[in-house]
Amino acid sequence: MHKRWLVADADKKKASELSEKLNIDAFIAFLLVSRGIDDELSASDFLFNNDTFSSPYSLKDMDKAVERINEAIDNGERICVYGDYDCDGITSTALLYTFLQSLGADVIYFIPHRLNDGYGMNLNAIDEISEKGTNLIVTVDNGITAFEEADYIYSLGMELVVTDHHQLGDRLPRACAVVNPQRPDNDISFREFAGVGVAFKLACALNDGDVDEMLTLFGDLVAIGTVADVMPLVDENRRFVKYGLRLINADTRIGIKALRSAAGVADRELTSNDLAFQICPRINAAGRLQSAELSAELLITDDYEEALVKAALLNDVNTHRHEIENGMIEDIDKKISRDITLVSDRVIVIEGEGYHKGLLGIVASKVLTRYGKPTIIISIDEDGECSGSARSVAGFNIHTAISSCKDLLTHFGGHPLAAGLGIRKEDIPEFRRRINEFAAAEYDVMPTEVLKLDCKLSPSYLDVSLVENMSMLEPCGASNPPACFGLFNVEIVGIIPMGEGKHLRLECAKNGKSFRAVMFGVTVQQFRYKTGDVVDLAVRLSKNIFRGKAMLSTRIVDIRLHSTDDDKYFAEKEDYELTLLGRKPNGKVLPDREAFAFLYKYLRNNEGYPHSAEDLYFAIGQKLTFGELNYALAAFEEAGLVSRGNGIKLLPFSGKADLENTKTIRELKGRI
């Protein structure tokens, strides 16, 4: 999927002043300014302010929550911590349950089962909790829209305290206290806490506001939940993760130590990126495929032998999750190869029998990454009831788009970038048609995926010391991404397979300077470029320790031909997609005889093309418009010249193809 590259613009004078005032590396100052952190106060706060946290009582109703929970502890009432099955919910549950235990509370916890219970509170679970003699339910990472469930809790003689971080509904649920940073009546400047951040604030308030002690006890859990929920790593969240990483790397919690061992990362210092890709997915895996209790038990236990067993089980579950996920992706690839129009739509909607409901969101994200379009993946049950998960690109509100089709849905909910839905099997085709109608009507130009580059970099600056200086930007994550650099106009001089052929190493050169860069998850067969090609690379830099020596690692996150014209591509692609919706194009989309001849000659000389039509567009130097190329390929396929799916394959053909008289070209002429 082709992304638009944007190189950040930075005021070099401001960067120089910042470097001098704060006595920091000039390049780091430049990176800060390029990210909008361009004055002494904000830069100093970002780099050096690690110990300032807002009072937990700045959150509305915190005093009421503390009063009711302390009352329950003093009176020996049973408290149930009601959590959620994702990593944020699990860490929130472990934190509050463990802390209440330490206060001598009679406390239990409940985490819903993703498939059996669904998200949030439900009436059957409340019955189960009531039967255990519970007097007070305290939610973490859920509950803000549990209106019916809250009333039911009170009808059974129990009471409720809600702590959550999700967006508010049109009213607050009935409760002794509703603690949520999104409440407009909070006296706070920073609101983007994860659920575990809110649970931590509650624990601090119960501990007389002692943040330092709570950080020592629970900073690791707050860091993991915050990173897992992709919360912005700025302000207090940044401080949480900084402190939490120290605890994690010091192996202060038995369960996380065991999980590091199971993940094979026990012998290195973890970063926020490692949390995101090594630790969080393993904690999440149990809740996706079975019960999240396994993960909660791991985080709560103080028995290392037990922790090792549970960590090994989680690792196995995560491996199984990968296998199921890969199977779903393979099935989706087959569907697309049989019907390329599935990914020609503005919003991709793909359904499949028996897709695992717990993995729909992950798979939707991967399809979105590949095609750069809002994506909805739907699982069809045996009874015809279906569940879907949606992911979107910035600028396209997928929740609003789904809402436009709500009469076809059994339920839906979510946010601008992610949502879930229920639908009947027979309504999927109409849903696909209508959501794409909405996209065409509301978005003249569809938002595109953007890759932000911090700056252009000369290969001569590639050095371990650069990475060591950039450690000041850590921890990196949402709203503070790892630095990404553009290496422009470099020649590929070697393409070498790595890792049993699963990855690539490129040997590159520019102006006499040679360097190596790796590309993970791409085989030689999948790689679209050849030696001699002049390309631009978007790279991230890191440091590896090999035999005691620090080595620079240059990882490619995107690659394109140096001759690429982004503006031309995106304008032509938009034009083509509008013609698919029956609109008149602004530019040229109808291939003429010269276009047909040029394209067929290229395919014949290269014995077809092993990659996508989008890749072919760039491979031929953008010499045909995106519309001309795609309509020509459709005409070739209709005439029996090629087959499309896994690349573009030439078919045996004799005689002369009447391309002008194919249905594709006739209909296109009729429209324009």
Side-chain angles (χ1 to χ4, degrees):
M1 184 270 296
H2 187 79
K3 297 179 182 178
R4 184 185 290 277
W5 289 17
L6 291 180
V7 181
D9 188 22
D11 186 323
K12 292 181 180 179
K13 184 180 177 183
K14 277 188 178 181
S16 178
E17 290 172 354
L18 204 59
S19 171
E20 194 171 324
K21 287 177 180 177
L22 296 180
N23 193 28
I24 59 175
D25 180 83
F27 188 66
I28 298 304
F30 181 85
L31 293 180
L32 290 174
V33 172
S34 78
R35 294 170 179 225
I37 306 171
D38 58 4
D39 63 82
E40 185 179 358
L41 184 62
S42 61
S44 178
D45 184 63
F46 179 84
L47 294 172
F48 308 120
N49 187 355
N50 299 322
D51 55 3
T52 304
F53 295 90
S54 62
S55 166
Y57 287 101
S58 299
L59 292 166
K60 190 72 174 176
D61 279 6
M62 184 63 83
D63 54 343
K64 295 177 183 177
V66 169
E67 182 181 356
R68 181 63 188 93
I69 292 170
N70 278 331
E71 180 185 322
I73 295 171
D74 292 342
N75 295 336
E77 298 176 75
R78 174 158 287 182
I79 302 170
C80 177
V81 178
Y82 195 116
D84 185 34
Y85 44 67
D86 71 0
C87 193
D88 185 19
I90 294 165
T91 51
S92 302
T93 302
L95 186 159
L96 194 57
Y97 171 79
T98 304
F99 181 62
L100 291 176
Q101 260 197 335
S102 74
L103 296 180
D106 177 4
V107 60
I108 60 174
Y109 68 85
F110 177 87
I111 300 177
H113 190 286
R114 182 187 291 264
L115 301 183
N116 299 338
D117 300 312
Y119 169 75
M121 308 193 84
N122 71 82
L123 303 182
N124 290 335
I126 292 167
D127 283 334
E128 183 182 328
I129 291 167
S130 177
E131 288 165 6
K132 292 181 178 179
T134 300
N135 305 99
L136 175 66
I137 296 176
V138 182
T139 72
V140 287
D141 193 32
N142 74 98
I144 195 63
T145 57
F147 308 119
E148 180 186 0
E149 293 82 0
D151 290 338
Y152 189 61
I153 285 168
Y154 278 86
S155 76
L156 295 178
M158 296 184 288
E159 291 188 310
L160 175 67
V161 168
V162 172
T163 77
D164 199 353
H165 72 121
H166 294 100
Q167 294 295 321
L168 279 61
D170 53 3
R171 57 193 172 97
L172 297 178
R174 181 182 179 186
C176 302
V178 177
V179 181
N180 187 324
Q182 301 302 330
R183 287 184 61 165
D185 49 355
N186 287 316
D187 183 24
I188 54 175
S189 57
F190 181 73
R191 299 174 182 272
E192 301 307 312
F193 297 106
V196 72
V198 183
F200 177 80
K201 291 285 186 180
L202 174 59
C204 289
L206 287 164
N207 196 46
D208 298 324
D210 191 336
V211 176
D212 290 341
E213 183 182 7
M214 291 296 98
L215 278 173
T216 302
L217 292 172
F218 301 115
D220 52 353
L221 296 181
V222 183
I224 291 169
T226 299
V227 169
D229 229 40
V230 200
M231 304 310 293
L233 292 195
V234 296
D235 208 280
E236 292 190 44
N237 285 344
R238 177 174 163 78
R239 295 163 205 157
F240 285 147
V241 175
K242 262 190 175 183
Y243 198 96
L245 281 167
R246 287 191 216 124
L247 297 179
I248 290 166
N249 286 314
D251 286 329
T252 58
R253 187 174 302 275
I254 293 294
I256 297 174
K257 178 182 179 181
L259 194 57
R260 287 184 68 187
S261 178
V265 292
D267 59 347
R268 75 168 194 248
E269 187 165 314
L270 300 191
T271 65
S272 51
N273 191 62
D274 294 317
L275 293 190
F277 290 99
Q278 300 294 338
I279 303 301
C280 298
R282 287 171 167 80
I283 294 174
N284 255 330
R288 291 190 183 280
L289 297 190
Q290 40 188 257
S291 169
E293 292 218 4
L294 174 61
S295 297
E297 290 166 358
L298 173 71
L299 298 180
I300 288 167
T301 187
D302 56 7
D303 182 324
Y304 190 55
E305 295 304 317
E306 178 189 350
L308 286 172
V309 171
K310 292 186 185 303
L313 286 173
L314 273 182
N315 206 50
D316 290 344
V317 172
N318 192 52
T319 300
H320 185 45
R321 188 263 300 174
H322 273 297
E323 292 168 354
I324 298 173
E325 184 185 311
N326 289 339
M328 290 168 65
I329 292 289
E330 286 175 15
D331 188 67
I332 287 168
D333 285 342
K334 288 177 183 175
K335 292 180 190 296
I336 293 169
S337 69
R338 291 194 297 266
D339 182 5
I340 199 71
T341 62
L342 285 172
V343 292
S344 298
D345 285 340
R346 293 192 141 206
V347 179
I348 297 171
V349 180
I350 297 176
E351 72 272 21
E353 302 279 349
Y355 286 172
H356 197 291
K357 293 179 183 177
L359 301 180
L360 294 175
I362 293 177
V363 171
S365 293
K366 292 199 169 183
V367 175
L368 180 150
T369 298
R370 188 179 298 178
Y371 295 101
K373 295 181 176 184
T375 298
I376 303 171
I377 304 298
I378 299 173
S379 174
I380 303 173
D381 290 345
E382 293 177 359
D383 59 5
E385 292 296 315
C386 311
S387 298
S389 191
R391 296 293 183 269
S392 192
V393 297
F396 184 89
N397 190 319
I398 194 68
H399 182 266
T400 302
I402 290 171
S403 179
S404 72
C405 310
K406 62 186 176 184
D407 56 302
L408 296 172
L409 307 176
T410 57
H411 65 270
F412 74 97
H415 305 289
L417 294 180
L421 60 89
I423 189 171
R424 290 169 292 274
K425 180 179 180 180
E426 60 269 23
D427 290 328
I428 294 174
E430 178 65 6
F431 173 74
R432 179 185 288 110
R433 185 187 70 79
R434 290 214 350 227
I435 199 166
N436 275 286
E437 263 188 6
F438 171 88
E442 298 296 323
Y443 293 83
D444 287 338
V445 177
M446 283 290 284
T448 57
E449 283 278 273
V450 172
L451 178 63
K452 294 181 179 179
L453 304 180
D454 285 273
C455 67
K456 294 181 180 181
L457 198 65
S458 166
S460 60
Y461 283 94
L462 295 175
D463 189 79
V464 171
S465 61
L466 178 62
V467 177
E468 290 171 342
N469 286 333
M470 288 194 307
S471 64
M472 294 185 77
L473 300 177
E474 292 285 348
C476 293
S479 298
N480 180 40
C484 188
F485 303 110
L487 302 174
F488 284 71
N489 198 20
V490 301
E491 182 183 357
I492 299 174
V493 296
I495 303 170
I496 301 148
M498 294 170 50
E500 299 178 347
K502 296 177 183 176
H503 316 294
L504 289 180
R505 184 176 80 235
L506 300 188
E507 304 282 350
C508 301
K510 179 181 179 181
N511 296 335
K513 169 71 175 177
S514 297
F515 65 94
R516 292 176 173 179
V518 296
M519 199 166 186
F520 292 112
V522 177
T523 66
V524 171
Q525 293 74 26
Q526 294 167 333
F527 192 58
R528 307 186 301 269
Y529 306 92
K530 61 186 183 300
T531 55
D533 280 347
V534 177
V535 297
D536 300 334
L537 304 177
V539 302
R540 290 202 169 106
L541 308 177
S542 60
K543 180 176 70 173
N544 289 335
I545 305 298
F546 182 68
R547 294 178 179 173
K549 185 179 179 182
M551 309 283 287
L552 178 71
S553 174
T554 303
R555 181 172 68 86
I556 299 169
V557 295
D558 203 6
I559 180 172
R560 64 183 188 180
L561 291 170
H562 182 60
S563 58
T564 297
D565 184 336
D566 270 353
D567 291 339
K568 174 177 164 61
Y569 164 72
F570 284 109
E572 291 175 359
K573 183 181 180 187
E574 185 67 27
D575 214 25
Y576 165 68
E577 291 183 351
L578 286 174
T579 65
L580 295 177
L581 297 165
R583 306 265 190 94
K584 284 191 175 182
N586 296 312
K588 188 176 181 183
V589 295
L590 178 67
D592 55 24
R593 289 186 179 184
E594 289 76 14
F596 283 131
F598 170 81
L599 183 59
Y600 191 72
K601 182 179 179 182
Y602 180 92
L603 293 173
R604 191 180 58 213
N605 290 345
N606 290 276
E607 298 180 349
Y609 187 74
H611 308 297
S612 70
E614 180 181 78
D615 297 328
L616 177 58
Y617 169 80
F618 293 107
I620 61 174
Q622 299 178 274
K623 289 178 181 174
L624 300 184
T625 70
F626 194 78
E628 285 179 302
L629 173 71
N630 279 277
Y631 279 119
L633 288 174
F636 285 173
E637 188 171 36
E638 195 178 325
L641 296 174
V642 305
S643 67
R644 290 187 293 171
N646 241 343
I648 300 158
K649 297 176 183 175
L650 286 175
L651 298 176
F653 188 85
S654 59
K656 188 175 181 180
D658 187 2
L659 297 171
E660 299 284 348
N661 204 34
T662 57
K663 182 182 177 185
T664 295
I665 300 302
R666 287 200 317 271
E667 288 183 351
L668 181 58
K669 284 180 177 177
R671 287 208 300 275
I672 64 175

